[in-house]
Amino acid sequence: MAEIDHCCSTQLIDGEGEFNVVGLDNFIRTTKLTNCGLSYAVVAIMGPQSSGKSNLLNHLFPTNFREMDAFRGRSQTTKGIWIANCVGIDPFTVAMDLEGTDGRERGEDDTTFEKQSALFALAIADIVLINM
């Protein structure tokens, strides 16, 4: 079983849809994910931009996803897809934070990344939380 006492997070897929191979390799080594074999879980969250997805993950699981600063106004905080290990949860659990849907930064017509990231989360995650 992987034993790590701090949260490690990395951007798995950037806002342009590029997969971060080096970051994933570093995440696997740092968290000792390979020691878990098949005994691990993946939890993903999806929902509208600025709906508190990162905040919810940080409170439900001991993760360290970047959160929006309400005093600076509503804006996109999570770009792409981020992953983090959940400290102190057995079995080893990876939280996946998806970029918010319907964000004004991408515009109404560019929903390709939204659809692809949703399908990715549904394919990879054991549990998908939908924040409404």
Side-chain angles (χ1 to χ4, degrees):
M1 183 55 115
E3 279 291 322
I4 187 167
D5 61 353
H6 64 282
C7 183
C8 173
S9 60
T10 191
Q11 187 175 36
L12 183 63
I13 299 174
D14 70 17
E16 302 302 315
E18 294 295 318
F19 193 82
N20 183 1
V21 176
V22 174
L24 178 60
D25 185 53
N26 184 50
F27 177 82
I28 290 169
R29 274 188 281 108
T30 303
T31 61
K32 300 180 177 88
L33 180 57
T34 54
N35 294 351
C36 298
L38 296 176
S39 182
Y40 66 93
V42 178
V43 178
I45 191 164
M46 57 195 326
Q49 180 177 306
S50 302
S51 63
K53 295 177 300 299
S54 301
N55 182 281
L56 184 60
L57 286 176
N58 288 342
H59 284 85
L60 288 176
F61 309 98
T63 55
N64 61 357
F65 292 116
R66 190 168 152 241
E67 298 178 19
M68 181 184 69
D69 182 357
F71 292 112
R72 299 175 84 188
R74 293 171 68 98
S75 64
Q76 185 179 34
T77 305
T78 304
K79 292 179 174 63
I81 299 174
W82 285 76
I83 57 172
N85 63 307
C86 304
V87 179
I89 295 179
D90 193 30
F92 185 89
T93 302
V94 176
M96 186 184 301
D97 192 9
L98 276 66
E99 179 177 312
T101 58
D102 66 13
R104 66 177 176 261
E105 285 80 5
R106 287 198 185 271
E108 288 182 24
D109 298 328
D110 187 9
T111 59
T112 303
F113 185 81
E114 246 177 63
K115 293 172 186 173
Q116 290 173 341
S117 62
L119 286 172
F120 181 75
L122 289 168
I124 299 297
D126 298 295
I127 298 170
V128 177
L129 302 172
I130 300 174
N131 195 24
M132 301 185 78

